[in-house]
Amino acid sequence: MITEEQLDTYRREGTMLRVIRDADPANDVKGIIVAWDDSFVLVRRPNRRVVKLDRKYRYMPFSEPRPEIEWVPEAE
């Protein structure tokens, strides 16, 4: 889970982020951090829409290459 310090740094710098939700790159979210709480992060996408995402997802600068991920579904 992303830390408060990382979130604050990304927000202050206006860093364009990639939020990796699963193994498919088409499902990534690109945007900047607007706000957050203990469970969720609000990200403003380039089309100005805001999405509410879980803090458990992987957040990384968009300028960095996307890592290859083998996704293991969580057991319910």
Side-chain angles (χ1 to χ4, degrees), residues 13-26:
E13 294 175 355
T15 304
M16 183 64 67
L17 297 178
R18 173 192 323 268
V19 183
I20 301 174
R21 299 188 292 176
D22 59 22
D24 186 1

Side-chain angles (χ1 to χ4, degrees), residues 12-47:
R12 281 188 285 110
E13 294 175 355
T15 304
M16 183 64 67
L17 297 178
R18 173 192 323 268
V19 183
I20 301 174
R21 299 188 292 176
D22 59 22
D24 186 1
N27 293 330
D28 292 356
V29 175
K30 176 183 175 184
I32 59 172
I33 292 178
V34 177
W36 64 89
D37 64 13
D38 293 337
S39 304
F40 298 101
V41 177
L42 289 178
V43 175
R44 179 175 290 125
R45 296 174 46 198
N47 64 3

Side-chain angles (χ1 to χ4, degrees), residues 56-74:
K56 294 178 185 174
Y57 292 139
R58 185 168 180 180
Y59 293 79
M60 61 183 294
F62 193 78
S63 58
E64 294 179 8
R66 187 183 197 277
E68 291 295 321
I69 297 176
E70 185 176 319
W71 199 261
V72 178
E74 294 181 18

